[in-house]
Amino acid sequence: MSGGEVAGLLVAVFWAILVSFLAVVLVRLAQTLKAATKLVTGVTEQAVPLLGEASATVRSAQTQLDRVDAIATDVQEVTSNASALSSTVSSTFGGPLVKVAAFGYGVRRALGRKDGPAQEQRAGRGVVVGRTVPAARRGGRKRGRG
């Protein structure tokens, strides 16, 4: 064998090894692509029903929110009506009731004055030694009438 034949044989062996290596790489790449395709198909088959359920859930939530909004609007109207009714009742009956209460108080006080000082002492309005009269009551009555 001559040197050229040995070199040719080495090149042929090198190419055979290279082609075998590339064939193994391509077979493994094909297996990986097949597995990836199965995985994507499985995810797609599971994701489509999940997206449908999520869409139905969102629609249901929107319906519930619309109902809650309607209820909140109704409650606001009822509150407004109750406030208006309360102010109407207060203005209609409040003034006369205050007048009746004041009249009743005046009658009780006038009837209490007829009993004299004994009634005042029983009511706890007698003089207590050592007690100071509050500032608001000092000099409240004018003396010198008459």
Side-chain angles (χ1 to χ4, degrees), residues 19-134:
V19 167
S20 299
F21 177 74
L22 288 176
V24 169
V25 168
L26 286 176
V27 167
R28 295 223 175 162
L29 181 62
Q31 289 174 349
T32 304
L33 286 176
K34 229 184 248 187
T37 302
K38 286 182 182 179
L39 180 66
V40 168
T41 303
V43 167
T44 302
E45 288 175 358
Q46 292 178 2
V48 170
L50 287 175
L51 289 175
E53 290 176 13
S55 177
T57 302
V58 168
R59 279 193 296 273
S60 174
Q62 181 63 37
T63 303
Q64 296 298 327
L65 285 175
D66 290 342
R67 288 179 183 170
V68 167
D69 188 36
I71 290 170
T73 302
D74 292 343
V75 166
Q76 187 176 10
E77 282 184 35
V78 167
T79 303
S80 174
N81 291 341
S83 175
L85 180 65
S86 172
S87 65
T88 301
V89 167
S90 174
S91 65
T92 303
F93 296 114
L97 287 177
V98 168
K99 290 177 184 177
V100 167
F103 178 73
Y105 175 74
V107 168
R108 279 196 323 264
R109 188 155 171 116
L111 291 177
R113 294 276 174 145
K114 287 185 178 182
D115 289 343
Q119 176 69 23
E120 287 184 14
Q121 287 179 356
R122 275 186 269 152
R125 295 189 195 134
V127 177
V128 178
V129 179
R131 185 162 180 196
T132 307
V133 177

Side-chain angles (χ1 to χ4, degrees), residues 2-24:
S2 70
E5 291 176 359
V6 172
L9 185 63
L10 284 174
V11 168
V13 169
F14 174 74
W15 278 109
I17 292 172
L18 182 64
V19 167
S20 299
F21 177 74
L22 288 176
V24 169

